[in-house]
């Protein structure tokens, strides 16, 4: 009787391994502020004098109407990868893994078993339901997607730096009302979040994040 009870308890615990986003509050705050800065930067990339940088990267522009730029969705559909960007958030989907939506003001993504979105989505209320994953299988897919999403942004920022130089992104960040992460460190910051190895580095999280942040007096 006791052995059976212990076995059942152990079984319940092991099914929960890998569930949850596993992000401490410091990481949630850092990631949330970085995402707000990133969305601002994407908006400025669209308005770049030399040409729309998102479209140069490969995105297509979709608008509900030409007179309302707030309805614009930028889509990147590349083989198994699907990315959508709006002013209110980001979608990231991959075949066999489903898709994540990250709200501009909430760094905890929602998951859905869909790899791509319909082209006619321009407003938050038009999105399908994205929820907290349930069960080990969904969590494994969602967490792999999450790491991929963060790594994709890191790659995009590295491309921006290589294609336009550090001065371009620095000027972009300077125009943001709440500059938070150093322009030249944005790619590295996203890469740090993607690896999710802060608990293995033997340093306080605050110390690990310090190298990416702008000094307080420059904010």
């Amino acid at each position: 009787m006791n052995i059976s009870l212990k076995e059942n308890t152990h079984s319940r615990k092991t099914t929960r391994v890998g569930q949850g986003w596993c992000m401490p509050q410091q990481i949630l705050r850092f990631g949330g502020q970085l995402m707000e800065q990133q969305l601002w930067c994407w908006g400025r990339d669209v308005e770049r004098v030399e040409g729309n940088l998102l479209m140069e990267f490969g995105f297509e522009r979709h608008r509900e109407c030409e007179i309302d730029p707030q309805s614009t969705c930028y889509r990147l559909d590349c083989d198994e990868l699907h990315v959508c960007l709006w002013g209110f958030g980001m979608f990231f989907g991959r075949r066999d893994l489903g898709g994540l939506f990250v709200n501009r003001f909430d760094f905890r993504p929602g998951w859905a078993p869909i790899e791509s979105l319909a082209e006619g989505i321009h407003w938050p209320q038009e999105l399908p339901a994205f929820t907290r994953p349930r069960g080990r299988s969904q969590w494994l897919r969602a967490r792999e997607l999450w790491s991929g999403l963060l790594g994709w942004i890191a790659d995009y920022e590295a491309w921006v730096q290589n294609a336009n130089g550090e001065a371009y992104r620095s000027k972009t960040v300077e125009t943001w009302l709440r500059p938070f992460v150093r322009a030249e460190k944005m790619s590295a910051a996203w890469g740090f979040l993607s690896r999710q190895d802060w608990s293995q580095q033997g340093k306080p999280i605050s110390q690990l994040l310090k190298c990416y942040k702008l000094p307080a007096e420059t904010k």
Side-chain angles (χ1 to χ4, degrees), residues 11-31:
S11 176
R12 286 197 299 270
K13 287 181 179 179
T14 55
T15 58
R16 294 185 63 82
V17 173
Q19 298 185 31
W21 295 116
C22 301
M23 290 186 288
Q25 283 300 316
Q26 285 177 292
I27 295 294
L28 278 173
R29 288 194 297 270
F30 178 84

Side-chain angles (χ1 to χ4, degrees), residues 1 18 24 39 42 59-60 84 102 126 154 157 161 166 172 182:
M1 180 69 177
L39 285 164
W42 279 328
F59 279 86
E60 294 183 352
C84 295
V102 191
E126 296 173 341
E157 281 301 310
Q161 297 272 352
E166 289 186 5
T172 304
R182 299 171 184 269

